[in-house]
């Protein structure tokens, strides 16, 4: 089997790495991990593009030689990737000796074959792009990328007969519908080819104007055009053309943003064809990360520092956000509010809460051992089926670089598992002593959680390992957790009864619970949901005109003593499936089984944050049903305006301690 091989762009060293560069490299890392999870050998190449005018000018501005400057910025790129959890790559520099030699060999080969010629030329040169533009390519006389008027330069140069290969490129794109993907970029390239604006490519720069480049093997007065040099990194990084790596890896895949579509979709296939080499399999093109609605750029001062952001919010939540938020191919906006919103909603509330409640229940009901399941009922079969179909969709979409959609289909499963907990109410099964049924429900949950953790390895490697470790599975962020993910789709088991699992889980602490960002991202309120319990019963809802609570009529001591108030520990917390504002709390009051109490806390507390907390509650309140679920008491809160603050004893006390 041939290896899965993909490349990121070889980044210019005229600017420090930012979120845009990090995204492309993270995508390469995740795809490589995904292919390794499918049992393939896989790796990628990334690196730095260091020759050319742009770098010379940036070095000058910094008072350094091009070499010193390139060493410094290239070092920043090189150090960044492992810090973002990225692995399985080779880091190549266009100034590496073996790359320089490789470029010279290819130039010689193409020159010998007659596809490089010398000619006098006058053209519009854009220093930003470091290339000539034809009249037709300019927009209103300006470079379409930099919106600047190019300089008219007349000089003798070497040209690559690219025009000779354009008809072949066109037919190759037509015959291979996913050669350039997503579709919109394929259409764009076909339109570019049809417009007839592409000509032969000037591939040299006279040394009189630029010396920081690879000298042409057939004319020492010239250096090679930076794109002809940089594109060849994709091959030079694989070693000699007759070597094992090249044979196993080529043709590979490329990953770029839309800014460099043309060199990859036109120049590069033509160069490969002229060198007698097979063309790549796929060009995967993504959109831009925007910051304050504009493409991130150093000059606009809107760049996002990937490392700073990852350190602030965690590498894996940051990675998850990038994959979930950007629909591959389209632009996406980055903001900390959006990042916090995803962390709180998808990670803390959905995924983190699932792990926290299921593991604490397993600790409680089965001393943290995976129980032996018994006969499955219809509701269980539905979860098992959903697990297979979600994993199937996830792997299919991920392989087609539709990351956001892949994660969405996995989250359908995560949300369904939370609902399954609510509908099966393990605490009620425990209370009824129905241990067979309880074992089946808990087994299904734990086994499905393992599947979710496996699927997440490419996106959140560290967290996936933590999840697997919590489920008693050996895991390592650098090696795939299973030999073949496809086997996991077709069989449900995979988790042995008796395995010891963690008693607690706190995977994603909720961020800014009191903050603005959370309010903005909160789901719209459900109109029909009942008023929170506290609003119906709390006396302080009645206010005097001056805002102070109204005094209530006196009651006798006996009446006060008749209220059974006790301290208990929350063992499970989840959202009410049908009422947005209500949390379903399972609280241990030291009785034979924990009680279920419903409380209007959902807008103020994250379920995951509540598990393990001691609270005070009234136990002998008449039970009542809220949207189908029974409440067996009322937790006490202090109201600051509308905001409830849970009341807890000043020190930890045994569950069931009475409040007097
Ligand atoms: N050196 C060339 C590439 C040569 S490849 C043989 C180059 N370098 S670059 O430093 O400008 O990198 C461009 C790439 O960085 C984009 O194609 C994309 O991968 C990434 N991004 C830079 N800014 C970006 C965004 N704002 N959004 C998403 N990705 C972007 O071009």
């Amino acid at each position: 089997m041939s290896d899965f091989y993909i490349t990121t762009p070889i980044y210019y060293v005229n600017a420090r790495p930012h979120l845009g560069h990090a995204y492309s490299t993270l995508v390469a890392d995740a795809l490589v991990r995904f292919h390794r999870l499918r049992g393939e050998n896989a790796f990628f190449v990334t690196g730095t593009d260091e020759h050319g005018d742009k770098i010379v000018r940036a070095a000058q501005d910094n008072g350094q030689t091009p070499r010193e400057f390139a060493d410094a910025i290239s070092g920043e790129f090189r150090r960044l990737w492992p810090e973002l959890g990225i692995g399985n790559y080779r880091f190549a520099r266009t100034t590496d000796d073996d790359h320089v030699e490789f470029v010279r060999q290819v130039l010689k080969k193409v020159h010998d074959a007659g596809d490089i010629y010398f000619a006098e030329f006058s053209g519009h040169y854009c220093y930003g792009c470091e290339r000539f533009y034809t009249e037709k390519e300019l927009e209103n006389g300006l470079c379409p990328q930099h919106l600047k008027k190019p300089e008219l330069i007349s000089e003798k140069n070497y040209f690559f007969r690219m025009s000779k290969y354009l008809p072949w490129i066109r037919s190759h794109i037509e015959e291979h519908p996913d050669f350039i993907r997503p579709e919109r970029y394929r259409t764009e390239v076909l339109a570019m080819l049809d417009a007839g604006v592409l000509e032969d490519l000037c591939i040299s720069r006279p040394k009189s104007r630029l010396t920081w480049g690879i000298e042409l093997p057939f004319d020492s007065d010239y250096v090679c055009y930076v794109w002809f040099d940089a594109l060849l990194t994709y091959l030079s990084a694989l070693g000699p053309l007759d070597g094992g790596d090249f044979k196993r890896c080529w043709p590979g895949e490329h990953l770029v943003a839309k800014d460099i579509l043309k060199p990859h979709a036109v120049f590069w296939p033509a160069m490969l064809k002229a060198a007698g080499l097979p063309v790549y399999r796929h060009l995967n093109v993504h959109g831009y990360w925007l910051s304050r609605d504009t493409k991130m750029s150093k000059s606009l001062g809107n760049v996002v520092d990937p490392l700073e952001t990852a350190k602030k919010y965690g590498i894996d939540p940051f990675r998850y956000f990038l994959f979930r938020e950007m629909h591959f191919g389209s632009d996406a906006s980055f903001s900390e509010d959006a990042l916090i919103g995803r962390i709180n909603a998808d990670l803390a509330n959905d995924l983190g809460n699932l792990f926290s409640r299921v593991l604490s229940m397993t600790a409680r009901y089965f001393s943290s051992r995976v129980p032996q399941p018994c006969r499955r009922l219809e509701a269980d079969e539905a979860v098992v089926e959903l697990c297979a179909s979600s994993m199937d969709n996830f792997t299919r979409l991920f392989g087609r670089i539709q990351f956001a959609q892949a994660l969405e289909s996995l989250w359908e499963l995560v949300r369904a598992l939370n609902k399954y907990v609510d509908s099966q109410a393990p605490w009620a099964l425990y209370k009824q002593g129905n241990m067979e049924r309880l074992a089946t429900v808990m087994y299904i949950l734990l086994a499905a959680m393992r599947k979710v953790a496996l699927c997440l390895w490419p996106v959140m490697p560290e967290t996936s390992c933590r999840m697997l470790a919590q489920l008693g599975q050996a895991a390592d962020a650098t090696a795939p957790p299973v030999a073949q993910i496809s086997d996991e789709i077709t069989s449900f088991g995979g988790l042995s009864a008796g395995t010891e699992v963690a008693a607690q889980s706190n995977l994603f602490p909720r961020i800014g619970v009191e903050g603005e960002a959370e309010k903005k991202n909160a789901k719209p309120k459900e109109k029909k949901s009942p008023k929170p319990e506290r609003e119906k019963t709390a006396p302080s809802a009645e206010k005097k005109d001056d805002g102070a609570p109204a005094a209530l009529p006196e009651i006798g001591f006996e009446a006060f003593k008749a209220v059974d108030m006790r301290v208990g520990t929350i063992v499970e917390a989840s959202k009410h499936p049908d009422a947005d504002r209500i949390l379903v709390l399972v609280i241990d009051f030291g009785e034979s089984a924990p009680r279920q109490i419903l409380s209007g806390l959902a807008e103020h507390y994250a379920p995951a944050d509540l598990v393990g907390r001691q609270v005070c509650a009234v136990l002998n309140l008449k039970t009542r049903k809220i949207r189908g679920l029974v409440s067996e008491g009322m937790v006490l809160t202090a109201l600051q305006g509308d905001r409830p603050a849970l009341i807890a004893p000043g020190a930890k006390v045994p569950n069931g301690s009475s409040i007097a």
Side-chain angles (χ1 to χ4, degrees):
M1 187 190 10
S2 61
D3 292 2
F4 176 79
Y5 169 55
I6 192 161
T7 67
T8 74
I10 308 301
Y11 305 113
Y12 286 132
V13 288
N14 63 337
R16 304 185 53 212
H18 63 63
L19 175 76
H21 308 114
Y23 177 73
S24 301
T25 316
L26 283 167
V27 170
D29 174 70
L31 278 171
V32 163
R33 286 176 182 276
F34 175 73
H35 281 268
R36 296 184 74 209
L37 202 51
R38 294 214 301 207
E40 297 165 37
N41 285 324
F43 82 103
F44 74 98
V45 159
T46 188
T48 44
D49 186 356
E50 305 182 11
H51 291 126
D53 237 8
K54 235 198 263 284
I55 314 303
V56 174
R57 274 180 286 134
Q60 269 164 6
D61 292 348
N62 220 42
Q64 286 176 300
T65 64
R67 167 64 75 176
E68 286 165 349
F69 186 72
D71 282 350
I73 305 275
S74 178
E76 287 200 33
F77 277 94
R78 189 192 284 271
R79 283 188 297 275
L80 174 62
W81 305 139
E83 300 228 43
L84 296 176
I86 294 170
N88 306 301
Y89 60 89
R90 280 184 200 160
F91 190 92
R93 299 179 61 177
T94 57
T95 49
D96 287 340
D97 289 346
D98 50 355
H99 171 76
V100 171
E101 195 37 48
F102 187 89
V103 172
R104 286 167 61 84
Q105 277 172 21
V106 173
L107 281 165
K108 186 165 182 319
K109 190 171 177 189
V110 179
H111 184 253
D112 289 351
D115 272 349
I116 290 176
Y117 62 92
F118 195 51
E120 170 100 47
F121 176 76
S122 98
H124 306 274
Y125 192 77
C126 170
Y127 281 92
C129 302
E130 299 199 39
R131 59 166 284 218
F132 286 100
Y133 276 91
T134 63
E135 282 290 345
K136 288 185 221 158
E137 281 179 303
L138 299 178
E139 285 173 14
N140 301 321
L142 305 179
C143 155
Q145 284 278 331
H146 294 87
L147 305 178
K148 280 194 188 149
K149 193 170 163 46
E151 197 174 311
L152 195 62
I153 292 185
S154 238
E155 64 190 16
K156 281 195 160 177
N157 262 312
Y158 287 89
F159 289 83
F160 166 50
R161 272 185 223 286
M162 190 168 78
S163 54
K164 175 175 157 187
Y165 297 101
L166 298 179
W168 166 78
I169 293 176
R170 198 181 198 301
S171 55
H172 188 83
I173 296 174
E174 299 234 290
E175 284 159 24
H176 300 84
D178 61 355
F179 181 59
I180 300 169
R181 57 189 187 184
E183 174 76 24
R184 76 181 78 162
Y185 297 110
R186 172 182 191 258
T187 314
E188 199 176 305
V189 174
L190 286 173
M192 205 188 288
L193 291 167
D194 288 345
V197 293
L198 296 159
E199 296 174 357
D200 288 347
L201 190 66
C202 177
I203 55 139
S204 66
R205 300 291 179 261
K207 278 195 182 166
S208 55
R209 170 151 93 72
L210 176 75
T211 52
W212 182 238
I214 298 176
E215 190 180 283
L216 297 187
F218 40 81
D219 192 335
S220 58
D221 287 337
Y222 287 84
V223 293
C224 178
Y225 168 44
V226 67
W227 269 104
F228 200 95
D229 158 2
L231 286 162
L232 284 166
T233 316
Y234 299 148
L235 299 186
S236 67
L238 294 175
L241 291 179
D242 54 1
D245 280 357
F246 179 82
K247 285 193 185 125
R248 273 193 308 277
C249 298
W250 195 255
E253 308 229 345
H254 301 304
L255 188 64
V256 295
K258 60 187 178 182
D259 52 343
I260 50 177
L261 178 61
K262 191 193 291 181
H264 284 84
V266 184
F267 303 176
W268 181 225
M271 285 167 64
L272 286 164
K273 187 81 175 158
L277 295 167
V279 73
Y280 55 80
R281 284 185 211 280
H282 300 293
L283 177 62
N284 305 294
V285 189
H286 64 81
Y288 292 148
W289 277 99
L290 310 175
S291 166
R292 287 181 250 130
D293 291 332
T294 346
K295 185 186 178 212
M296 262 168 231
S297 90
K298 202 172 103 179
S299 52
L300 290 173
N302 64 346
V303 291
V304 173
D305 182 326
L307 191 56
E308 215 175 84
T309 317
K311 280 191 176 153
K312 189 165 169 191
Y313 296 100
I315 296 172
D316 279 1
F318 173 63
R319 290 174 61 121
Y320 171 80
F321 171 79
L322 297 180
F323 285 95
R324 179 65 189 81
E325 197 73 7
M326 177 174 264
H327 281 241
F328 197 91
S330 308
D331 293 349
S333 283
F334 181 89
S335 75
E336 290 198 29
D337 274 4
L339 172 58
I340 292 170
R342 283 264 174 228
I343 292 176
N344 285 344
D346 300 9
L347 299 183
N349 274 7
D350 293 341
L351 184 60
N353 188 35
L354 175 69
F355 268 71
S356 146
R357 60 201 302 218
V358 173
L359 289 175
S360 67
M361 285 190 278
T362 313
R364 211 178 147 65
Y365 308 139
F366 295 103
S367 310
S368 290
R369 296 267 168 201
V370 176
Q372 179 70 47
C374 303
R375 196 172 60 85
R376 286 186 202 156
L377 302 185
E378 211 176 297
D380 313 330
E381 293 296 356
V383 170
V384 173
E385 266 169 43
L386 182 70
C387 191
S389 65
S390 290
M391 283 184 87
D392 190 39
N393 286 336
F394 177 84
T395 47
R396 206 167 26 81
L397 292 163
F398 210 93
R400 284 206 236 135
I401 57 165
Q402 292 174 286
F403 309 118
Q405 297 88 333
L407 287 168
E408 182 49 37
S409 69
L410 195 63
W411 251 250
E412 270 172 37
L413 174 63
V414 173
R415 289 191 210 104
L417 292 174
N418 271 318
K419 285 211 162 132
Y420 176 75
V421 174
D422 300 333
S423 66
Q424 300 307 308
W427 47 91
L429 296 172
Y430 182 72
K431 201 169 173 179
Q432 293 153 12
N434 194 348
M435 295 309 279
E436 282 200 354
R437 182 76 199 120
L438 181 61
T440 309
V441 168
M442 295 311 294
Y443 182 86
I444 293 216
L445 285 164
L446 291 163
M449 280 154 54
R450 177 177 161 275
K451 304 283 189 187
V452 172
L454 294 176
C455 287
L456 283 175
W457 189 73
V459 177
M460 298 196 282
E462 284 290 343
T463 307
S464 156
C465 290
R466 276 175 66 202
M467 291 158 81
L468 289 167
Q470 289 178 356
L471 294 168
Q473 314 290 297
D476 172 355
T478 63
V482 282
Q484 181 56 268
I485 189 80
S486 59
D487 294 345
E488 291 285 340
I489 304 175
T490 43
S491 71
F492 183 74
L495 196 57
S496 318
T499 305
E500 186 168 1
V501 299
Q504 278 176 357
S505 167
N506 187 11
L507 294 169
F508 307 103
R510 201 176 159 80
I511 297 170
V513 175
E514 307 281 323
E516 236 356 82
E518 192 196 15
K519 280 191 217 148
K520 276 186 207 151
N521 289 296
K523 279 188 192 159
K525 287 189 184 87
E526 189 189 316
K527 283 203 188 78
K528 285 180 286 175
S529 61
K531 286 218 153 208
E533 195 176 7
R534 64 186 161 77
E535 286 180 23
K536 286 183 184 166
T537 51
S540 58
E542 294 168 29
K543 295 262 172 101
K544 284 200 299 189
D545 286 344
D546 61 3
L552 292 166
E554 223 172 47
I555 55 165
F557 189 61
E558 286 309 308
F560 172 70
K561 266 183 59 186
V563 183
D564 184 8
M565 288 189 287
R566 289 177 192 271
V567 176
T569 300
I570 301 179
V571 290
E572 281 127 45
S574 58
K575 286 191 160 175
H576 191 304
D578 291 317
D580 273 2
R581 294 202 263 178
I582 306 286
L583 287 188
V584 181
L585 306 174
V586 178
I587 307 178
D588 179 1
F589 291 100
E591 301 169 295
S592 58
R595 285 175 183 242
Q596 173 170 291
I597 297 185
L598 273 54
S599 185
L601 297 171
E603 287 172 354
H604 308 280
Y605 289 92
D609 296 341
L610 291 179
V611 175
R613 279 177 74 152
Q614 282 206 313
V615 289
C616 300
V618 176
L619 299 195
N620 60 341
L621 204 61
K622 214 167 167 208
T623 59
R624 60 196 186 114
K625 264 194 174 179
I626 300 180
R627 294 260 167 139
L629 295 185
V630 173
S631 185
E632 303 169 295
M634 184 174 83
V635 289
L636 299 180
T637 60
L639 286 172
Q640 310 148 273
D642 245 5
R643 175 178 291 275
L646 280 166
I647 295 176
K652 201 164 165 59
V653 295
N655 287 335
S657 301
S658 57
I659 299 168

